[in-house]
């Protein structure tokens, strides 16, 4: 090798002028740049190499031939069987294999450390996310394209029609992208990159096991029920089912990709900022209210809404809660910048304000769903068989609100009190107060102890407590069950609020003291 | 060009970098030296925006890394010690990926890639798969990738690790070439003798703190004190001994050969030149006059670090 310094200078100087040209590129160039995403191009090159793509395409082709053969043997082209099988095959290719590809691609990039090169390049985190999102499963898209002739034969046989095929395809892509987005976020979030890939595979297996039968049913019925103009209610307005599905899937995709962008920007960033988490729960509340508006079975639907809101709030809280070292970092920065304390919406600030806002949204949404909507006779009929003596959903809503508050504050308290093992101890706490009462209640009920006592024990856990406090057990002791659900929630909220504040003040004082005290220099050298 | 002020980085309640401040100017090659765990890599990663510092100011050519990381990163070329590459790409494809990432227009890329592969001596590997490359070749390819955006600042973490002797010479030449073009270079390495050949300044770190930093000759003069002067006198030995003995900055003269003398001289380059001029002015015939200071290794050990990373 010979180093020609002049030539190096020449080449690099030319490069500089090229970058300047690129910076002043026109709109057409900018539009092209979207399709010329370097990460997408990288995956296209590696995953569509002739030597690597030939065998998978041959397998897909043979499977399509087999499906077609079975279709001709059982007249499956006209009764929707072939289309159902094709859809299942497409779903496996796109949603299952595609998601695992994203997981392994991102996991490998994190494992090797090359993802850091991308992070320090001028490519935006969004470009990187889109590059992996569309690029990693590019071979699966090619394999999907291979199945399209079979689908076209089904359209030719009017099972389903062109519009039905379009609807099914949109639904398929929405499902696949949802899986892809979850896979991307999982693989970016796991502490061990390789574990991310395994996590995605686990996720896929979980979905396949629990959603498999439902999926097959959906696909079996898809061919015949598509294009039937099924409508779904949104704030009392009937809209096409596909639009309804898109309306609910798009925000989910948006927020998962938003979290992925943040994780792509920085390994140690929280998936959401605090305002983003609040925005997510507010949007969820809006969509849930829209869905249950005018629902014929109002009460169980309202309880479902509460469960969904509580579960989502708890998950979101974990994504915005700083650990002890992050909080300490934030306090040090605030002190250095001459501020007394961190702003409540800072990533490194304690989650107390966010928890309160999330709880307030839950209170509002729960109140709207349980109190403000017109109760339909169907909803009452649903409960007639239980005949609850004293029936009120106000306590149920309040219980849900305090569950969110104490879970959020407990998570924060454990992370402020412990530098390590905070998550483990929090999980242990949840096991003790959520799972143990549930199990004890179930065992007591099964062993023949008084049903009221067994229900009361179970109601101590919010998993059962939220619904039991709504009176769905049909027992006379609803008041007792409400107390069983509500009292632990408000007690823990009080305890953990105090713990959070005490540990926060203690940490702040410790950090202030350490900042004021001059530290020992490592080497005493006068130069 | 590189300005770091009061940088602090905390990792899980451990302070990895504590109130670090230094500057690297244009054309300067700064060697970051320190034992394992001193905080060199953490400092570099914070400078690149890969780690969010607790606090501190990092600017690259005046661009604030915390405020505008993408703009700052356009100016920086980064090369880590273990080059992670996409093994399933060809060499040109790998460079093309990053050329595209840095916004180089597509038609211009093949020419630039060929030239850069030539610069690092991998022309014949243009179409080879990266998985087929040796460790040294991978490092060279990474260097080519680092040079793609024509960075104004180069941050190189152990760049010579795993590179063969010829590759080290080439790397040194590239770094010198870049410095001569006014680029600021900051690099860490455990091969201190090689660093002393092309570093103009050093920054020695220990336990997350800066122990000393500045130009090598200045630090060397201050820390190591006197240099050793070796003088070969062809004629006028007695006069030579008289003049040197009379100079208060000179130590005891030791005869180490028939006409060669050695003594400690506590003065900088200007003082050495003045002494030489004085000797010649007094009619002494000087065949060789060689001031020698201890190298970086001696300096590093003197400063107190026992373990070289």
């Amino acid at each position: 090798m010979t180093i020609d310094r002049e030539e190096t200078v020449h080449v690099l100087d030319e490069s500089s002028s090229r970058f300047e040209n690129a910076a002043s590129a026109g709109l057409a160039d900018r539009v092209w740049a979207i399709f010329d995403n370097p990460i997408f191009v990288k995956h296209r090159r590696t995953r569509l190499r002739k030597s690597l793509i030939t065998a998978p395409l041959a397998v897909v082709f043979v499977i399509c031939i087999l499906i077609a053969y079975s279709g001709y043997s059982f007249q499956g082209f006209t009764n929707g069987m072939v289309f159902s099988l094709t859809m299942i095959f497409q779903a496996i290719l796109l949603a299952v294999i595609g998601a695992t590809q994203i997981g392994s691609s991102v996991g490998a990039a994190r494992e090797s450390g090359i993802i850091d090169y991308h992070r320090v390049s001028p490519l935006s985190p969004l470009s990187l996310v889109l590059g992996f999102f569309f690029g990693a499963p590019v071979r699966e898209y090619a394999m999907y394209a291979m199945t399209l002739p079979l689908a076209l034969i089904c359209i030719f046989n009017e099972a389903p029609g062109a519009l039905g095929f379009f609807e099914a395809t949109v639904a398929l892509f929405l499902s696949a992208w949802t899986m892809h987005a979850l896979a991307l976020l999982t693989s970016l979030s796991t502490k061990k990159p390789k574990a991310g890939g395994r996590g995605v595979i686990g996720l896929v297996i979980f979905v396949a096991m629990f959603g498999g039968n439902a999926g097959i049913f959906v696909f079996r019925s898809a061919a015949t029920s598509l294009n039937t103009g099924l409508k779904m209610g949104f704030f009392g307005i009937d809209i096409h089912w596909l639009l309804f599905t898109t309306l609910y899937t798009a925000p989910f995709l948006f927020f998962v990709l938003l979290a992925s962008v943040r994780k792509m920007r920085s390994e140690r960033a929280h998936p959401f900022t605090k305002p983003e988490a609040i925005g997510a729960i507010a949007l969820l509340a809006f969509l849930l209210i829209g869905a249950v508006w005018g629902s014929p079975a109002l009460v169980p639907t309202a309880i479902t809404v509460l469960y969904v809101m509580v579960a989502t709030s708890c998950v979101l809280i974990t994504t915005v809660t700083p650990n002890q070292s992050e909080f300490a970092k934030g306090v040090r920065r605030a002190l250095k910048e001459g501020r007394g304390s961190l702003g409540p919406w800072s990533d490194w600030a304690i989650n107390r304000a966010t928890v309160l806002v999330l709880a307030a949204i839950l209170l509002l949404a729960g109140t709207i769903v349980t109190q403000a909507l017109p109760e339909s006779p169907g909803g009452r009929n649903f409960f007639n068989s239980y005949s609850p003596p004293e029936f009120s959903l106000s306590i149920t809503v309040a219980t849900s609100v305090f569950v969110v508050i104490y879970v959020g504050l407990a998570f924060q308290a454990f992370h402020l009190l412990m530098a390590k093992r905070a998550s483990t101890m929090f999980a242990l706490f949840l096991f003790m107060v959520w799972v143990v009462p549930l199990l004890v209640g179930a065992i007591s009920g099964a062993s023949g102890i008084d049903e009221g006592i067994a229900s009361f024990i179970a109601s101590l856990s919010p998993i059962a407590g939220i619904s039991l406090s709504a009176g769905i057990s049909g027992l006379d002791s609803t008041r007792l069950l409400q107390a069983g659900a509500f009292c632990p929630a408000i007690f823990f909220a009080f305890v953990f609020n105090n713990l959070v504040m005490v540990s926060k003040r203690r940490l702040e004082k410790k950090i202030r003291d350490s900042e004021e005290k001059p530290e020992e220099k490592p080497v005493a050298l006068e130069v | 060009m590189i300005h770091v002020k009061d940088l602090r980085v905390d990792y899980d309640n451990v302070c990895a970098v504590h109130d670090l401040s230094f500057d690297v100017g244009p054309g300067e090659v700064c060697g970051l030296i320190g034992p394992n765990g001193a905080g060199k890599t953490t400092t570099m990663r914070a400078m690149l925006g890969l780690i969010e510092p607790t606090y501190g100011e990092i600017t690259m050519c005046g661009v604030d890394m915390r405020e505008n990381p993408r703009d700052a990163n356009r100016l920086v070329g980064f090369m880590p010690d273990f080059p992670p590459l996409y093994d399933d790409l060809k060499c040109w494809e790998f460079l093309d990926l990053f050329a595209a990432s840095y916004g180089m227009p597509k038609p211009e890329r093949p020419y630039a890639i060929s030239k850069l592969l030539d610069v690092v001596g991998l022309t014949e590997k243009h179409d080879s798969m990266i998985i087929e490359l040796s460790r040294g070749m991978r490092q060279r390819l990474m260097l080519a990738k680092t040079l793609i955006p024509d960075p104004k600042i180069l941050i190189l973490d152990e760049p010579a690790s795993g590179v063969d002797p010829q590759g080290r010479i080439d790397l040194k030449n590239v770094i010198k070439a870049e410095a001569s073009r006014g680029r600021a270079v900051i690099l860490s390495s455990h091969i201190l003798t090689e660093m002393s050949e092309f570093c103009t300044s050093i920054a020695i770190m220990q336990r997350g703190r800066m122990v000393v930093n500045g130009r090598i000759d200045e630090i060397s003069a201050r820390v190591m004190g006197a240099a050793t002067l070796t003088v070969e006198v062809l004629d006028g030995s007695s006069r030579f001994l008289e003049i040197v003995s009379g100079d208060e900055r000179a130590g005891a003269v030791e005869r180490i050969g028939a006409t060669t003398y050695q003594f400690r001289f506590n003065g900088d380059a200007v003082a050495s030149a003045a002494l030489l001029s004085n000797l010649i002015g007094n009619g002494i015939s000087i065949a060789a006059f060689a001031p020698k200071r201890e190298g970086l290794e001696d300096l590093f050990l003197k400063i107190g670090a026992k373990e070289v990373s």
Side-chain angles (χ1 to χ4, degrees), chain A residues 1 3 7 13-14 16 18 22 36 45 49 112 116-118 120 122 324 329 332-333 519 522-523, chain B residues 13 45 52-54 70 73 80 84 86 88 93 96 103 108 111 115 119-121 150 170 181 206 209:
Chain A
M1 173 173 76
I3 303 291
E7 193 165 43
D13 282 347
E14 281 189 5
S16 299
R18 289 187 195 105
D36 196 29
R45 280 180 178 144
R49 272 192 219 291
S112 70
D116 285 343
Y117 286 153
H118 297 307
V120 299
Q324 194 189 72
K329 215 169 171 178
R332 283 201 174 89
R333 181 181 284 185
E519 288 185 39
V523 175
Chain B
N13 293 331
R45 290 176 72 82
E52 189 168 0
T54 306
R70 284 181 65 199
N73 278 326
Y86 285 117
D88 50 0
E93 290 174 338
D96 186 72
E108 312 289 338
Y111 172 75
K115 287 294 177 189
V119 165
V120 298
D150 188 21
D170 295 335
R181 295 174 63 216
Q206 200 173 24
R209 289 176 188 270

Side-chain angles (χ1 to χ4, degrees), chain A residues 270-315:
Chain A
H270 292 171
F272 292 113
T273 63
K274 291 182 169 76
E276 283 168 359
I278 291 168
I281 205 72
L283 186 60
L284 177 70
F286 173 77
L287 291 174
L288 288 175
I289 292 168
V292 303
W293 196 278
S295 168
L298 183 63
V299 176
T301 310
I303 294 170
T304 307
V305 167
L306 289 176
Y307 272 116
V308 171
M309 291 278 293
V310 168
T312 312
S313 299
C314 292
V315 170

